[in-house]
Amino acid sequence: MNVEQVAAYCLALPGAREDYKWGGVRVFSIADTKMFAVMGLAGNDLSFKVGPELFLGYVDRPGVRPAPYLARAHWITLTYPLAMGDAELTDLLARSHQQVAAKLPKWRQAALKL
């Protein structure tokens, strides 16, 4: 997937929106503040949350590293070209979205139809 395909996929997830923060970072979030993916504006990297049980397995792969400042929350960073196939990437992005959405209050989940 290229940068715009990844961005389009993230925005197609329920309740997702895009912001630009920190001087050139595209942030995909739910409920205005809960990030589930972060992409460099230059399109050179993509970070997102993975489950704690998957974190160590992914950071051992070539092209994948712990996300700066977010590794303790089990975020990984992929560099372009992406180190995984489209199906695996879309599955992980959907899981990241679901993990973040699950931590929202129930009334917020209902309002976003999650």
Side-chain angles (χ1 to χ4, degrees):
M1 296 179 85
N2 66 32
V3 175
E4 291 309 315
Q5 289 172 325
V6 171
Y9 181 78
C10 288
L11 291 172
L13 295 169
R17 59 176 282 176
E18 178 181 20
D19 291 318
Y20 293 89
K21 297 182 181 181
W22 308 306
V25 178
R26 291 172 84 173
V27 177
F28 300 96
S29 58
I30 307 169
D32 301 329
T33 59
K34 302 296 183 182
M35 302 184 308
F36 68 90
V38 177
M39 182 185 301
L41 194 56
N44 55 354
D45 60 6
L46 173 66
S47 301
F48 52 89
K49 185 175 186 64
V50 295
E53 69 283 355
L54 300 175
F55 180 75
L56 291 176
Y58 276 108
V59 296
D60 282 343
R61 292 172 60 171
V64 182
R65 67 182 195 280
Y69 309 109
L70 295 170
R72 72 175 192 267
H74 305 110
W75 280 60
I76 60 172
T77 297
L78 307 175
T79 54
Y80 282 98
L82 297 176
M84 59 184 61
D86 294 354
E88 184 179 18
L89 178 61
T90 56
D91 180 54
L92 288 173
L93 286 169
R95 285 183 186 198
S96 177
H97 177 271
Q98 291 167 354
Q99 288 176 20
V100 172
K103 292 188 178 188
L104 292 173
K106 297 294 181 198
W107 67 270
R108 189 68 172 199
Q109 291 178 23
L112 293 170
K113 298 179 183 173
L114 300 175

